[in-house]
Amino acid sequence: MTTPPKDPRIEAAAAQVQASIQERADAYGAPPWEPIWKRPRTPKSQAQKKQELRKQRRQLQDAGHRRFFAGQSRRPRPRQNRIGNAAVRRDARALSRVRHSNAWLW
């Protein structure tokens, strides 16, 4: 694979763009670049801090409510899961028969 010959028109346009970029940077006096994590922090007012904390507290409360109601949605569990072995199931059935009859009235 061969590289195409350099086009003088493209080279001239690229040089002109570079020159204009440098010219603009000189005109504005561009500050030296530094990563965002090294820039000094802008101080927040007390009102801004409180508003941010209020927002965080609200988010946490909403998450707690969602978690609570997600657990509630599975609540009426089937009886079989709660009563494990057959003997206990039999006892529960007998108790339920007694409870639903009027035997306790005598």
Side-chain angles (χ1 to χ4, degrees), residues 90-101:
R90 238 186 340 267
D91 292 348
R93 207 173 288 131
L95 280 173
S96 132
R97 282 200 195 100
V98 170
R99 201 176 349 148
H100 291 298
S101 73

Side-chain angles (χ1 to χ4, degrees), residues 67-101:
R67 201 172 293 121
F68 174 74
F69 283 111
Q72 291 296 310
S73 70
R74 294 189 294 270
R75 263 318 124 137
R77 294 191 177 102
R79 180 169 294 171
Q80 233 168 347
N81 286 350
R82 284 183 287 139
I83 300 169
N85 59 20
V88 177
R89 208 166 29 241
R90 238 186 340 267
D91 292 348
R93 207 173 288 131
L95 280 173
S96 132
R97 282 200 195 100
V98 170
R99 201 176 349 148
H100 291 298
S101 73

Side-chain angles (χ1 to χ4, degrees), residues 17-99:
V17 167
Q18 286 288 4
S20 64
I21 288 172
Q22 186 60 42
E23 197 176 302
R24 190 173 299 127
D26 293 341
Y28 284 125
W33 183 86
E34 62 181 347
I36 196 162
W37 59 87
K38 287 191 176 179
R39 292 179 195 158
R41 294 184 180 189
T42 54
K44 290 181 186 171
S45 68
Q46 285 296 109
Q48 283 175 321
K49 284 182 195 171
K50 285 187 177 180
Q51 185 180 9
E52 199 172 303
L53 287 173
R54 226 178 284 127
K55 186 177 174 186
Q56 284 178 5
R57 194 176 306 117
R58 186 73 198 161
Q59 284 175 337
L60 285 170
Q61 284 174 347
D62 289 346
H65 292 155
R66 280 195 302 274
R67 201 172 293 121
F68 174 74
F69 283 111
Q72 291 296 310
S73 70
R74 294 189 294 270
R75 263 318 124 137
R77 294 191 177 102
R79 180 169 294 171
Q80 233 168 347
N81 286 350
R82 284 183 287 139
I83 300 169
N85 59 20
V88 177
R89 208 166 29 241
R90 238 186 340 267
D91 292 348
R93 207 173 288 131
L95 280 173
S96 132
R97 282 200 195 100
V98 170
R99 201 176 349 148

